[in-house]
Amino acid sequence: MKTTDEQERKIATRLYDLDKQVYETTGSSLGRVFPSSPSFALQKIIDSLKINREHFLKNEMILISNMIATIRDEEKAAPLREELKEVEQDILSYNPEIILPHSIDSSDAMASRRFSSDNHLVICISRQYGTGGHTIGYQLAQRLGIAYYDKEIIHMACERMGISSNNITDLDDDNPSSSKHRRTGLGKIGKKIFSNQSDMLFFNQSNLICEMAAKESCIIMGRCADVVLKNNHIPHLSIFLSAPFRERVKYEMGISGTDHKIASDTVKKMDQNRKNYYQYYTGQQWGYAGNYDLCANTFFYGHEETIQILYNMAVLSCSKSENQ
């Protein structure tokens, strides 16, 4: 009888190979369900099986099934459909014993095997307003020697849509004191205000984010990039920066020259706007620690130390792929 590890590896390998065959047969431009390098993809499949096999069956395998359904040549589709059915039965019979470790073993850390030599280093940074996230992200990109994307994404998305970005409210802007934000009405961004244009802008931004991640190593600020890349199975690091409210108010007072009341209102409204936007387009909770690889208090560490922590994490994540 095969061990659990052997069973997991066999299922993951069959599913990865099937995905590759289906993709090559359909010639689909939508991409594969598991587009990463074999080592990363196989481990991702195994990890997903351990967490929730029913969820895996409903979400990942149905995508492969839908691609098979587009194959018009029945001689080509039939064996792929049969293989999918057999893999599905293997997954249903898979019932691993979960052994809890006494401590976290560094050899099992995801960071050390997140990226392969085929992947770019992509870091997504979300942040509360007033944490100095823009400065931290920009300086981290310089230290790593990689590209940095913030407002550029919204401008490029608008160009694709053939509209001007001048009247677009950027919820990830770190300078809400600008005239543009006063004109558009800061603090009035609620779930009901998102329009068809907002949806189109988000979809265009999402496409750009995936293209950037496929093209080069980079840091992407906000834009729900962490969820966009996760949904497209693109390896990345997700960071969330926070700080105590009172310290963020002081930070806003310092950079905007406003009094405590105005600065306090600005911080509250910007946080709420970002929260609404993130939840509306991802269905996930903005700032929830479980959604990120690392959450850091920038006031506790300070800007320089926060940058160093993120730098160390990025180097750790790439070190194994460089040695492969």
Side-chain angles (χ1 to χ4, degrees), residues 79-137:
L80 296 175
R81 200 159 41 239
E82 184 62 29
E83 174 67 4
L84 180 66
K85 184 178 179 181
E86 291 181 9
V87 174
E88 182 175 313
Q89 290 301 315
D90 285 346
I91 293 177
L92 288 172
S93 62
Y94 167 76
N95 189 26
E97 178 184 0
I98 300 176
I99 301 176
L100 299 178
H102 295 294
S103 62
I104 296 177
D105 186 349
S106 60
S107 64
D108 291 331
M110 280 295 293
S112 63
R113 53 186 169 86
R114 175 63 58 86
F115 301 96
S116 75
S117 57
D118 299 326
N119 305 129
H120 295 294
L121 170 62
V122 181
I123 304 174
C124 304
I125 300 180
S126 300
R127 74 281 193 204
Q128 291 179 316
Y129 181 76
T131 56
H134 173 81
T135 302
I136 290 171

Side-chain angles (χ1 to χ4, degrees), residues 2-64:
K2 292 184 178 297
T3 65
T4 300
D5 289 343
E6 291 173 336
Q7 185 182 14
E8 291 170 348
R9 182 64 56 176
K10 178 182 177 182
I11 292 173
T13 301
R14 290 185 68 181
L15 191 54
Y16 180 83
D17 291 343
L18 175 61
D19 180 36
K20 183 179 179 180
Q21 286 182 288
V22 172
Y23 173 71
E24 291 174 348
T25 304
T26 60
S28 172
S29 61
L30 298 178
R32 293 172 57 183
V33 176
F34 305 105
S36 308
S37 62
S39 60
F40 180 84
L42 291 178
Q43 191 58 54
K44 181 182 183 302
I45 293 171
I46 292 172
D47 291 341
S48 298
L49 286 172
K50 288 180 178 179
I51 295 172
N52 190 330
R53 62 175 180 169
E54 285 78 14
H55 181 272
F56 186 81
L57 282 168
K58 292 179 181 178
N59 288 272
E60 309 295 347
M61 294 191 67
I62 197 170
L63 295 176
I64 298 178

Side-chain angles (χ1 to χ4, degrees), residues 36 62 68 104 186 220 229 235 249 263 269 280 286 296:
S36 308
I62 197 170
I68 294 176
I104 296 177
L186 175 65
I220 303 174
L229 295 181
V249 171
K269 291 173 182 176
Y280 180 84
W286 179 74

Side-chain angles (χ1 to χ4, degrees), residues 183-219:
R183 182 171 63 250
T184 54
L186 175 65
K188 295 182 180 179
I189 306 298
K191 293 183 178 180
K192 294 182 180 180
I193 202 170
F194 294 113
S195 61
N196 289 335
Q197 187 183 74
S198 300
D199 293 343
M200 288 301 298
L201 183 59
F202 176 78
F203 297 142
N204 274 277
Q205 283 187 141
S206 298
N207 289 335
L208 280 166
I209 288 169
C210 291
E211 291 172 14
M212 291 168 179
K215 181 180 68 173
E216 62 183 343
S217 294
C218 59
I219 289 178

Side-chain angles (χ1 to χ4, degrees), residues 25 68-82:
T25 304
I68 294 176
T70 66
I71 302 174
R72 296 184 178 181
D73 188 334
E74 182 58 25
E75 290 187 6
K76 294 181 178 180
L80 296 175
R81 200 159 41 239
E82 184 62 29

Side-chain angles (χ1 to χ4, degrees), residues 147-294:
Y148 175 82
Y149 292 108
D150 192 354
K151 297 179 183 179
E152 298 84 356
I153 298 176
I154 202 169
H155 295 317
M156 289 187 285
C158 287
E159 287 181 5
R160 285 194 174 186
M161 295 171 62
I163 63 175
S164 172
S165 62
N166 292 332
N167 296 320
I168 299 296
T169 300
D170 184 4
L171 301 183
D172 274 305
D173 194 348
D174 278 332
N175 183 22
S177 300
S178 65
S179 58
K180 184 176 76 171
H181 275 92
R182 293 194 210 103
R183 182 171 63 250
T184 54
L186 175 65
K188 295 182 180 179
I189 306 298
K191 293 183 178 180
K192 294 182 180 180
I193 202 170
F194 294 113
S195 61
N196 289 335
Q197 187 183 74
S198 300
D199 293 343
M200 288 301 298
L201 183 59
F202 176 78
F203 297 142
N204 274 277
Q205 283 187 141
S206 298
N207 289 335
L208 280 166
I209 288 169
C210 291
E211 291 172 14
M212 291 168 179
K215 181 180 68 173
E216 62 183 343
S217 294
C218 59
I219 289 178
I220 303 174
M221 301 298 294
R223 327 289 163 193
C224 304
D226 55 329
V227 180
V228 170
L229 295 181
K230 179 181 178 181
N231 289 343
N232 285 275
H233 306 288
I234 299 176
H236 63 282
L237 296 176
S238 56
I239 311 297
F240 188 83
L241 303 179
S242 64
F245 178 75
R246 65 180 181 279
E247 302 303 331
R248 294 190 288 123
V249 171
K250 291 179 183 177
Y251 184 85
E252 168 63 9
M253 291 172 66
I255 63 173
S256 66
T258 56
D259 61 27
H260 185 276
K261 184 180 186 308
I262 294 178
S264 178
D265 288 344
T266 298
V267 172
K268 289 179 181 178
K269 291 173 182 176
M270 286 299 292
D271 279 353
Q272 188 62 52
N273 288 347
R274 290 178 179 180
K275 177 181 178 181
N276 289 346
Y277 183 85
Y278 189 87
Q279 184 170 332
Y280 180 84
Y281 283 112
T282 71
Q284 298 188 27
Q285 185 177 346
W286 179 74
Y288 172 62
N291 292 336
Y292 306 92
D293 296 313
L294 177 69

